[in-house]
Amino acid sequence: MLLVVDIGNTNVVFAVYEGEHKRGRWRVATDARRTADEYAVLLSQFLALGGLVPQQIEAAMISNVVPAVQRPMEQLCRQYLGCEPVSVEAAIAAYDFAIRIARPEQVGADRIANAVAAHRSYGGALIVVDFGTATTFDLVDPDGAYSGGIIAPGINLSIDALYSAAARLPRIALERPREVVGHDTVSAMQSGVFWGYVGLVEGLIARIKAERGEHHRVIATGGLAPLFNDTTTAIDLVDDDLTLRGLVLMHQALSARDGGVAV
């Protein structure tokens, strides 16, 4: 079985796959202070919830945008799972993945995994919108190549900015308001953040399509994607496991290249 780990700025997602069948998926808060031992305890508990044990894990694939978490996660794999983890960067060449931008090394590992899975699952010209700490808009060409993107502040960052910068504004929960016009401070803030963000998403997607002059199918993913699924026609569908499937596909390609064992 394969352990895939998606390390984001807000959450770490663990998932176990047997072939392309997902056996379990778990999410914890990202904390650079956690040690390999602490991650091992958490993972063991997650595996037990899914009826699995660490000894069943034969390989590991890691996507990471938080450098401080890389070392303890690698130690977890080596010391507790007995396998050498593979990074997205190591798997790109095996997957024959084209990155058509000026600085390919600057593309986040999660965005590459999203592009790989989106192309395999949906084909054609695609826009992948990942709602995370930042919201990213990434373009995938019909041949599967990554051809550029946009990075915008995530909606929770917008909430934090309002609370931090305005002395008399309270911290609010992220909710979809029932009305666009608020009738008190909290509902006014919620409307401005939520519907303002919907406007940002719709506007950027429209501008991408106008600039590229072709039809793009829009795939949303990330922890906050379901919140926007039924609020706009700009998003065609939500795929919660897009990043994880991309990691599985890249690991399979690397394993096939190396004769069945990815190292």
Side-chain angles (χ1 to χ4, degrees):
M1 292 186 191
L2 172 67
L3 172 71
V4 292
V5 187
D6 178 23
I7 304 168
N9 289 293
T10 302
N11 292 305
V12 176
V13 179
F14 296 97
V16 173
Y17 280 79
E18 188 170 12
E20 295 190 14
H21 172 64
K22 185 177 64 180
R23 295 289 302 272
R25 181 179 188 269
W26 310 277
R27 182 185 298 266
V28 298
T30 302
D31 186 347
R33 298 169 297 178
R34 283 198 178 109
T35 65
D37 299 330
E38 291 174 305
Y39 279 116
V41 170
L42 289 170
L43 180 60
S44 295
Q45 293 174 335
F46 291 147
L47 292 173
L49 289 173
L52 303 169
V53 294
Q55 291 75 16
Q56 292 175 281
I57 305 300
E58 301 168 298
M61 180 86 184
I62 297 175
S63 164
N64 184 18
V65 298
V66 186
V69 182
Q70 186 69 22
R71 185 175 179 182
M73 202 61 67
E74 290 178 348
Q75 291 176 331
L76 161 69
C77 295
R78 293 171 184 143
Q79 296 177 11
Y80 291 95
L81 303 178
C83 63
E84 185 67 23
V86 178
S87 68
V88 168
E89 293 75 12
I92 289 175
Y95 198 84
D96 193 24
F97 180 76
I99 304 177
R100 297 181 180 137
I101 64 171
R103 300 290 297 272
E105 71 279 4
Q106 294 182 351
V107 182
D110 53 341
R111 299 167 74 185
I112 293 172
N114 285 344
V116 166
H119 175 67
R120 172 69 70 88
S121 298
Y122 306 108
L126 301 168
I127 300 171
V128 179
V129 185
D130 192 336
F131 292 92
T133 306
T135 298
T136 56
F137 300 73
D138 292 308
L139 274 72
V140 185
D141 289 342
D143 64 355
Y146 176 90
S147 61
I150 298 169
I151 302 174
I155 190 168
N156 279 324
L157 290 181
S158 300
I159 292 174
D160 291 341
L162 275 177
Y163 172 72
S164 299
R168 300 191 65 179
L169 293 182
R171 184 179 293 278
I172 61 172
L174 176 57
E175 296 179 8
R176 175 182 175 178
R178 286 178 292 182
E179 299 178 312
V180 174
V181 178
H183 300 284
D184 55 35
T185 298
V186 170
S187 63
M189 290 175 66
Q190 287 175 331
S191 184
V193 170
F194 184 87
W195 292 114
Y197 214 78
V198 171
L200 178 147
V201 171
E202 292 175 339
L204 286 177
I205 290 173
R207 286 179 178 272
I208 292 170
K209 290 182 176 181
E211 183 174 282
R212 290 300 177 108
E214 58 186 82
H215 174 72
H216 290 77
R217 196 173 186 190
V218 180
I219 315 300
T221 192
L224 297 176
L227 187 63
F228 299 94
N229 188 31
D230 60 349
T231 61
T232 174
T233 58
I235 295 172
D236 294 306
L237 61 91
V238 172
D239 188 333
D240 291 333
D241 291 331
L242 196 66
T243 310
L244 302 176
R245 290 206 317 281
L247 295 177
V248 172
L249 290 169
M250 296 181 79
H251 189 275
Q252 288 174 344
L254 185 58
S255 180
R257 188 198 68 176
D258 294 338
V261 179
V263 295

